[in-house]
Amino acid sequence: MDMDISRWILEFVLWKPLEDTIFNALIGVLPLPNEDSRLKKALILRKIQSEISNGSVSEKILEFLEVMEELYTQEGIESSEAMKAAYCAVAVDCTVRFLNNKSEKVNYFEAVKRIWKQRINKMEKVENVGVVSEELWKWRDEIEAALWEDRRCENVIMRSKSISAVVAVKVFVTEAKERIGPPFLEVVAETLRRDDAVKAYLGLENKEERGERIESLSIAGQDLTCSNHDKEASKRNALRRRKHVAFKRTRGTAPAGVCKGVKIADSAEPGVEASRVQEDLLHTPKIDIAQEALKLSSLELRAGVKDPLPEALELAEALMSLGRDSSAQQPAENENGRAPHLVVDSNGVVQANGGNEDDQLIGLQNAAPKPSIMARNSTAHTFEWNDSIDNLSEGSPSSGRRFTLPTPRRTKVSPLKKYGFKKVTKRRKSKRWSTIEEETLRSGVQKYGVGNWRLIFDTNHEIFEDRTPVDLKDKWRNLTS
DNA sequence: CTAGGGCTATCC
DNA sequence: GGATAGCCCTAG
């Protein structure tokens, strides 16, 4: 299945009241893009929603919030107060719940260690972590103090009653969902609705057809019926889509339409046998139903989404014909007003192409069999471009509309003398070995033997501060020389 | 990751 | 300037 369609479907069903087991099965079988921050965020939010569905919060939410914060940071988005508040509230809730019962004091101790000492303290060393707040540090002090003083315990319990972790998380989820925006399929459906309204006003489309199309989209994933008309349309669109398959992302080297998971659409394509083997492994009634629904949703979507390519081609053609008329007046700019493409011709002359995609494509298609880039060119020499443009008269005469840039001069360089980048590593400041370090090294060698520098280093890393296992080896060489 | 050669800063 | 300690680089 096409990665984009898989992504759209997942994004669409994310917020549907689908059972987690079915949803997890979907995740398992659909090809997922490796880097899709939007989908990842939506997945995290769904996971968080699942976690709080029983009316309480869990420590897993802390992890989800941390991942969410990382995604925000990667995108340069600032974390919100709602996120900080949710993180703090969950951390407090997951700790203080053990204070209510005195017999659970051990569990409270463990929770403080796990959540506040390990998870939260490590964030103190990093600046601008989006889930931490002043409030969080205040709570940490209170919670740690409650470890030793009963009076502080009461205080912590009282204060924690004033906050509701579940509510805080819900507020965050709502806000985060708004940030992400509606699923792509819903946006498409809405756009189509609006488009149809305009067309209806202009009398460009008959009512019956419009009703059918809107219905087919609005029922995607719910209703399993599909008219013959839609099926035909879907086939046409599917064929058209394949024409510009180059714009689609694929995973690995699998042919189009084949994925590691279950193949859902386009069963006439190659690779069907391989996917069928896996399909057979995943036959449960629920998964079958979900697969069937997805198949139909996908087909209906293809039928409903208008392929922009024919219109774009028409527009391009119109622009090109206009451009041809006016090209005489604008020699340095191409028909579409875009900057000219720079191409290097067979003589090594850099030329500006008009940016005409057709010209380029024809050029490529008509070219003699393209040699492999790995094959050695017998006429090739080792040259480097000299960027200086001090000899402007050297440019070859313009031919037709082509705009010619001056020929770059070539300078012969020896292939043996490649320019190398010198590593700019700063040498560490020399630090004398202390007696304690030497003694630790000796005892380490005695215990683990010569050569196990990593092991010796790891078991005494607090003593060997600023050293490396190699330093230990060097020092031992020095001690024994 | 380790071993071993080589480089450099520091000490005398 | 030689000796040495500490550090770096790289092959295996």
Side-chain angles (χ1 to χ4, degrees):
Chain A
M1 174 184 265
D2 187 289
M3 187 82 80
D4 283 331
I5 293 181
S6 162
R7 190 213 332 255
W8 296 336
I9 291 169
L10 268 179
E11 197 190 33
F12 182 73
V13 298
L14 259 176
W15 303 118
K16 300 295 161 200
L18 209 59
E19 272 182 45
D20 272 5
T21 46
I22 298 175
F23 186 75
N24 290 342
L26 273 176
I27 294 273
V29 296
L30 288 174
L32 286 169
N34 288 331
E35 290 307 323
D36 187 329
S37 174
R38 187 183 149 86
L39 185 62
K40 280 185 186 172
K41 283 189 284 192
L43 276 168
I44 293 169
L45 291 178
R46 189 196 151 96
K47 283 278 182 194
I48 293 177
Q49 270 195 333
S50 296
E51 284 296 315
I52 58 171
S53 60
N54 62 355
S56 65
V57 294
S58 70
E59 281 179 50
K60 278 186 193 167
I61 294 175
L62 296 176
E63 201 176 337
F64 291 142
L65 289 171
E66 284 167 19
V67 178
M68 196 76 177
E69 190 268 337
E70 261 182 47
L71 290 170
Y72 276 159
T73 308
Q74 281 167 15
E75 288 174 31
I77 302 170
E78 209 164 294
S79 302
S80 65
E81 288 305 314
M83 178 186 259
K84 292 178 202 278
Y87 191 86
C88 182
V90 174
V92 170
D93 191 299
C94 291
T95 319
V96 176
R97 65 177 61 155
F98 298 113
L99 264 186
N100 294 322
N101 190 343
K102 286 207 170 176
S103 63
E104 285 194 13
K105 196 76 190 249
V106 180
N107 292 336
Y108 177 73
F109 183 80
E110 286 299 321
V112 172
K113 206 167 108 183
R114 202 170 52 243
I115 298 172
W116 298 87
K117 291 278 182 194
Q118 291 170 1
R119 185 178 283 281
I120 295 176
N121 270 10
K122 78 180 173 205
M123 288 190 280
E124 199 174 13
K125 292 171 190 160
V126 188
E127 277 183 22
N128 298 325
V129 180
V131 290
V132 302
S133 56
E134 278 304 308
E135 187 69 9
L136 188 75
W137 300 133
K138 281 181 196 163
W139 270 107
R140 182 188 58 177
D141 295 341
E142 282 294 313
I143 279 170
E144 284 182 6
L147 279 170
W148 321 113
E149 290 178 53
D150 284 347
R151 196 172 51 82
R152 304 289 282 271
C153 282
E154 299 301 323
N155 192 23
V156 165
I157 293 169
M158 285 300 289
R159 275 192 63 198
S160 69
K161 277 179 182 163
S162 65
I163 54 171
S164 166
V166 175
V167 170
V169 171
K170 276 182 180 167
V171 169
F172 163 71
V173 170
T174 310
E175 182 210 72
K177 272 168 87 171
E178 274 172 20
R179 276 188 179 190
I180 292 175
F184 175 72
L185 294 187
E186 281 178 14
V187 174
V188 171
E190 186 54 37
T191 308
L192 276 174
R193 257 183 218 120
R194 273 194 239 119
D195 185 43
D196 283 343
V198 172
K199 281 186 177 170
Y201 177 69
L202 296 171
L204 294 175
E205 196 177 20
N206 76 49
K207 215 175 175 181
E208 198 182 344
E209 194 182 2
R210 184 175 77 244
E212 219 175 295
R213 194 190 286 182
I214 292 175
E215 195 186 354
S216 72
L217 264 163
S218 62
I219 61 170
Q222 293 166 31
D223 192 341
L224 305 184
T225 58
C226 176
S227 69
N228 285 337
H229 170 90
D230 280 343
K231 281 178 183 167
E232 282 303 310
S234 76
K235 277 182 192 167
R236 284 199 301 277
N237 279 311
L239 280 169
R240 266 190 247 147
R241 269 168 31 76
R242 277 177 217 140
K243 286 183 190 167
H244 47 115
V245 69
F247 293 106
K248 299 293 176 189
R249 277 181 284 267
T250 54
R251 190 167 62 178
T253 54
V258 180
C259 66
K260 285 187 179 176
V262 172
K263 183 174 157 58
I264 292 181
D266 290 354
S267 59
E269 289 183 14
V272 68
E273 283 307 316
S275 59
R276 193 172 292 152
V277 173
Q278 293 197 338
E279 206 173 1
D280 289 338
L281 296 174
L282 289 157
H283 267 310
T284 71
K286 280 180 180 175
I287 290 177
D288 285 348
I289 291 168
Q291 278 179 3
E292 202 53 38
L294 284 170
K295 271 184 199 173
L296 291 166
S297 296
S298 168
L299 286 171
E300 285 161 8
L301 173 71
R302 289 177 186 203
V305 176
K306 191 181 171 191
D307 191 340
L309 186 61
E311 266 184 33
L313 287 172
E314 269 177 41
L315 184 66
E317 186 61 39
L319 282 169
M320 275 158 57
S321 60
L322 274 175
R324 269 193 283 276
D325 295 336
S326 59
S327 60
Q329 285 91 35
Q330 293 173 308
E333 207 173 74
N334 69 11
E335 293 85 346
N336 298 333
R338 279 177 293 172
H341 285 294
L342 294 182
V343 294
V344 181
D345 69 14
S346 56
N347 299 320
V349 177
V350 179
Q351 293 186 325
N353 191 345
N356 184 330
E357 307 295 339
D358 285 355
D359 283 356
Q360 270 195 311
L361 283 172
I362 292 164
L364 285 171
Q365 283 159 3
N366 292 346
K370 205 177 168 186
S372 158
I373 56 167
M374 299 304 287
R376 186 176 168 78
N377 179 352
S378 58
T379 59
H381 301 284
T382 310
F383 289 106
E384 261 195 11
W385 296 113
N386 182 338
D387 289 337
S388 64
I389 47 169
D390 50 356
N391 194 352
L392 292 173
S393 60
E394 248 189 292
S396 59
S398 300
S399 58
R401 311 199 313 274
R402 286 200 162 180
F403 170 76
T404 311
L405 289 175
T407 311
R409 278 210 320 239
R410 292 181 297 183
T411 320
K412 214 168 185 176
V413 290
S414 164
L416 299 174
K417 270 185 164 182
K418 278 276 168 201
Y419 293 112
F421 291 102
K422 272 194 173 175
K423 264 193 179 174
V424 228
T425 45
K426 200 166 174 271
R427 195 182 169 88
R428 282 184 297 159
K429 203 170 183 298
S430 197
K431 185 184 164 192
R432 282 201 73 83
W433 275 67
S434 64
T435 322
I436 178 91
E437 282 178 309
E438 285 185 17
E439 285 310 312
T440 312
L441 178 60
R442 283 204 177 90
S443 63
V445 168
Q446 212 166 21
K447 196 171 173 184
Y448 301 110
V450 179
N452 295 312
W453 310 117
R454 164 60 65 186
L455 187 60
I456 298 170
F457 175 79
D458 283 343
T459 47
N460 300 285
H461 65 271
E462 69 286 350
I463 291 169
F464 297 128
E465 212 186 357
D466 301 330
R467 304 279 181 208
T468 69
V470 175
D471 290 338
L472 269 62
K473 179 261 304 175
D474 288 332
K475 181 62 185 173
W476 186 252
R477 176 172 56 179
N478 177 13
L479 283 174
T480 54
S481 62

